[in-house]
């Protein structure tokens, strides 16, 4: 029977005693093996914080154009800040959305001999002066989602027969989470138009929140596209290519895309990408034999690009492909390579 909707898991079961926690871990593993996507409820993120995030996100996009363009990502060597409508590519095609990219505020790493190119991604964010409260709201959001994400990774490790702390070293000191605050303007009329093209996430784990009552996300499963509209009180969770790499394909990084809303409407979307330190190499899980026997090897990327073992190499490659304007403005030397 064809899958019609994503599996739903209640995160609070991890705290409901050993037996219930074990069942949750098994269901989490099975969902990420078979589908690669699920809905996560019971995550403990306060509704007030969710409301504040959606509110400040919409107010950001309501700022005058010149205030948003003052934060344009061509001004950031770290590819942070505002991307104007149509300013990002997926698989070479234009994504019809505007967004602001936010990472961890850190000092930049100067490029030079012996310094890996991916360290160029480390540095400061660009914040709108007109919304001073945005920085604190986003920081709390990213901290809370990072905690949920690490607990999910620990649960996955245990479910596969690996030590619970398998991923801790790659994430503990200098994890590299990224939040995109995205607005999709309505372009479908009524034939569907691309919001984001078909792709797999290049990192480890993604938690997505969409405005209530909105859809657009579609997930590929057995050759069919499954609609994944927002379910109240839940996140859509999926794994990225680095976690597929760590399990030799037992866990599945799944193709997905976003359809633009109908004309006359729009949609706010908050994808959060939980990633390890830029110089981290994903540990190969000591997966139990019964699961390793079902590992499928790595997926074939639509662009025929191999998954790279060091996270920063993957992250930089994605940025170079998605934002050629930033590369031209900030990293012209990389074009020579």
């Amino acid at each position: 029977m064809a899958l019609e909707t994503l599996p739903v898991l209640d995160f609070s079961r991890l705290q409901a005693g050993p037996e219930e926690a074990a069942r949750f871990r098994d269901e989490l593993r099975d969902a990420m093996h078979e589908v690669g996507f699920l809905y996560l409820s019971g995550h403990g993120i306060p509704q007030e914080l969710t409301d504040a995030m959606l509110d400040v996100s919409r107010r950001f996009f309501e700022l005058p154009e010149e205030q948003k363009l003052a934060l344009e990502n061509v001004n950031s060597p770290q590819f942070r800040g505002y991307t104007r409508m149509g300013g990002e590519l997926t698989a070479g095609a234009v994504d019809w959305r505007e967004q602001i990219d936010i990472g961890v505020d850190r000092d930049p790493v100067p490029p030079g001999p012996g310094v890996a190119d991916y360290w160029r991604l480390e540095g400061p964010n660009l914040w709108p002066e007109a919304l001073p409260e945005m920085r604190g709201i986003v920081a709390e959001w990213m901290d809370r989602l990072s905690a949920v994400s690490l607990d999910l990774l620990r649960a996955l490790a245990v479910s596969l027969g690996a030590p619970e702390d398998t991923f801790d070293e790659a994430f503990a000191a200098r994890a590299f989470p990224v939040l995109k605050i995205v607005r999709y303007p309505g372009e479908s009329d009524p034939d569907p138009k691309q919001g984001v093209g078909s792709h797999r996430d290049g990192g480890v784990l993604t938690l997505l929140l969409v405005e209530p009552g909105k859809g657009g996300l579609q997930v590929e499963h057995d050759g069919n596209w499954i609609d994944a509209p927002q379910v109240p009180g839940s996140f859509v969770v999926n794994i990225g290519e680095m976690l597929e790499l760590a399990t030799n394909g037992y866990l599945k990084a799944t193709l997905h895309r976003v359809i633009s809303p109908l004309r006359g409407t729009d949609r706010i979307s908050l994808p959060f990408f939980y990633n390890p330190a830029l110089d981290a190499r994903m540990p190969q899980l000591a997966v139990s034999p019964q699961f390793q026997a079902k590992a499928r090897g790595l997926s074939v990327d639509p662009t025929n690009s191999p998954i790279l073992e060091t996270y920063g190499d993957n992250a930089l490659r994605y940025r170079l492909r998605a934002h050629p304007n930033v590369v031209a403005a900030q990293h012209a030397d990389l074009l020579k390579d």
Side-chain angles (χ1 to χ4, degrees):
M1 182 178 297
L3 189 69
E4 295 184 355
T5 188
L6 303 182
V8 181
L9 270 71
D10 184 343
F11 185 66
S12 67
R13 293 166 58 199
L14 265 180
Q15 308 301 324
E19 292 184 2
E20 191 61 29
R23 282 193 288 269
F24 172 86
R25 288 191 290 263
D26 288 347
E27 292 174 23
L28 174 66
R29 176 198 64 226
D30 292 346
M32 290 310 192
H33 170 67
E34 296 165 6
V35 186
F37 270 79
L38 56 82
Y39 288 113
L40 187 72
S41 63
H43 43 71
I45 306 298
Q47 186 61 45
E48 309 83 62
L49 178 58
T50 299
D51 293 342
M53 267 300 307
L54 289 170
D55 174 69
V56 79
S57 299
R58 187 157 287 284
R59 286 190 288 127
F60 171 76
F61 292 117
E62 291 171 350
L63 291 174
E65 189 75 4
E66 64 270 16
Q67 292 188 30
K68 291 187 289 187
L69 290 176
L71 311 176
E72 193 168 16
N73 61 359
V74 293
N75 300 313
S76 168
Q78 291 77 36
F79 298 81
R80 309 283 177 89
Y82 177 69
T83 302
R84 66 176 72 195
M85 205 73 68
E88 184 169 9
L89 306 177
T90 297
V94 173
D95 295 328
W96 200 246
R97 60 181 178 175
E98 58 176 331
Q99 66 189 36
I100 182 170
D101 281 66
I102 300 168
V104 180
D105 269 315
R106 292 180 179 139
D107 292 333
V109 178
V115 178
D117 288 337
Y118 54 69
W119 286 116
R120 302 178 188 212
L121 299 176
E122 194 128 287
N125 292 307
L126 304 180
W127 299 99
E129 293 183 4
L131 296 173
E133 67 276 23
M134 186 176 189
R135 189 168 188 164
I137 295 169
V138 167
E140 183 179 357
W141 183 257
M142 294 182 70
D143 285 347
R144 286 183 175 267
L145 267 60
S146 292
V148 171
S149 299
L150 185 56
D151 282 345
L152 286 172
L153 288 180
R154 289 169 172 166
L156 278 169
V158 172
S159 76
L160 290 166
E164 184 178 44
D165 64 355
T166 296
F167 296 106
D168 284 22
E169 182 177 352
F171 287 88
R174 294 183 74 84
F176 195 77
V178 173
L179 173 69
K180 288 179 180 285
I181 299 176
V182 184
R183 174 180 169 267
Y184 294 95
E187 287 297 311
S188 300
D189 187 30
D191 291 338
K193 302 290 186 183
Q194 174 172 312
V196 176
S198 174
H199 67 286
R200 295 182 180 92
D201 290 347
V204 175
L205 201 63
T206 303
L207 276 65
L208 170 70
L209 184 90
V210 177
E211 279 188 306
K214 301 295 178 75
L217 174 65
Q218 294 184 329
V219 176
E220 191 275 334
H221 183 72
D222 288 344
N224 299 311
W225 289 101
I226 303 167
D227 289 320
Q230 177 63 22
V231 172
S234 72
F235 288 89
V236 175
V237 180
N238 66 281
I239 69 167
E241 292 176 331
M242 296 297 285
L243 201 48
E244 181 174 300
L245 177 70
T247 60
N248 191 33
Y250 182 82
L251 300 181
K252 182 180 182 181
T254 300
L255 284 172
H256 53 287
R257 64 187 184 188
V258 178
I259 303 301
S260 180
L262 290 173
R263 290 210 168 177
T265 68
D266 68 355
R267 178 174 69 250
I268 300 296
S269 178
L270 305 175
F272 170 82
F273 304 95
Y274 189 58
N275 302 311
L278 289 170
D279 59 350
R281 295 168 67 90
M282 282 299 288
Q284 292 296 304
L285 266 70
V287 176
S288 296
Q290 72 265 35
F291 306 124
Q292 191 58 55
K294 297 179 181 178
R296 295 161 290 210
L298 301 183
S299 302
V300 178
D301 186 86
T303 61
N304 201 31
S305 298
I307 303 171
L308 305 175
E309 292 186 0
T310 301
Y311 171 65
D313 289 329
N314 276 308
L316 180 61
R317 180 177 66 180
Y318 171 78
R319 293 299 197 190
L320 297 180
R321 291 191 305 202
H323 299 283
N325 58 331
V326 180
V327 179
Q330 299 286 347
H331 304 290
D333 61 309
L334 295 182
L335 296 176
K336 301 173 186 176
D337 300 331

